[in-house]
Amino acid sequence: MTEGDHTRLVAWAHELRAVHARLREALELVRSAADGGADPPSARDLLVYCRGFCTALTRHHEGEDRHLFPAVAEEHPQLADTLATLTQDHSMMSYLITGLESALQREAPPDEVHTHLEGLGAIMESHFRFEERALLEVLTTLDLVADPDEVLGPL
């Protein structure tokens, strides 16, 4: 294996960590906007912040489901149960995103919006930690030639 090949392979583990970090930051921006302090954002502004975060999270999970997980399953069939759990988490987060967006569209009270954000944030964090524990080592040797934006979302 050449140094260039090794760098390309290790890049998937680095990319996954980097995308997770950016999604965590995006969630914090939405939480900060929802808190609003003395100058709370309008419901429309908060919906815009949420849509950006929710779209990024959704595209990240769609890319994993479509590209990353099949590549991992092909090279590591023993991880089938782990990949099924991660895919199930994606479905759960999609459901929570729909609830959050619905609450924002109907201008739900701030405490309800916070409940949605905290629920989504808790599942997201648990999912990211599990995914990183289960897959980072595997990703250092994954032979997947693809655009990182397609595989992990455009973050």
Side-chain angles (χ1 to χ4, degrees):
M1 178 183 321
T2 69
E3 185 176 331
D5 288 338
H6 181 70
T7 299
R8 179 184 58 79
L9 293 171
V10 172
W12 287 113
H14 172 76
E15 285 293 325
L16 182 67
R17 277 193 201 114
V19 167
H20 285 176
R22 289 190 294 271
L23 286 166
R24 287 176 174 116
E25 290 170 8
L27 177 60
E28 283 308 310
L29 288 173
V30 174
R31 284 178 171 149
S32 293
D35 289 342
D39 187 22
S42 70
R44 178 171 289 184
D45 288 342
L46 191 51
L47 186 58
V48 168
Y49 294 137
C50 173
R51 285 241 168 96
F53 162 71
C54 293
T55 298
L57 183 60
T58 297
R59 290 188 66 194
H60 169 66
H61 290 153
E62 289 171 349
E64 286 181 333
D65 291 344
R66 203 172 19 252
H67 301 289
L68 184 64
F69 292 173
V72 170
E74 185 175 322
E75 291 186 27
H76 301 276
Q78 75 279 11
L79 292 175
D81 290 344
T82 297
L83 296 172
T85 298
L86 291 168
T87 301
Q88 185 178 24
D89 285 353
H90 292 174
S91 179
M92 183 185 323
M93 282 185 274
S94 178
Y95 175 79
L96 294 171
I97 286 169
T98 299
L100 173 59
E101 289 178 332
S102 174
L104 290 169
Q105 285 178 326
R106 62 182 164 74
E107 299 184 26
D111 61 328
E112 184 179 335
V113 172
H114 281 282
T115 298
H116 284 284
L117 284 171
E118 293 310 309
L120 179 57
I123 297 298
M124 185 183 90
E125 188 59 36
S126 172
H127 170 80
F128 286 175
R129 287 177 187 216
F130 175 67
E131 185 172 59
E132 289 173 4
R133 279 192 317 272
L135 297 183
L136 283 182
E137 186 174 324
V138 167
L139 294 180
T140 64
T141 61
L142 184 67
D143 188 15
L144 174 61
V145 178
D147 179 353
D149 287 352
E150 288 292 316
V151 177
L152 298 174
L155 276 176

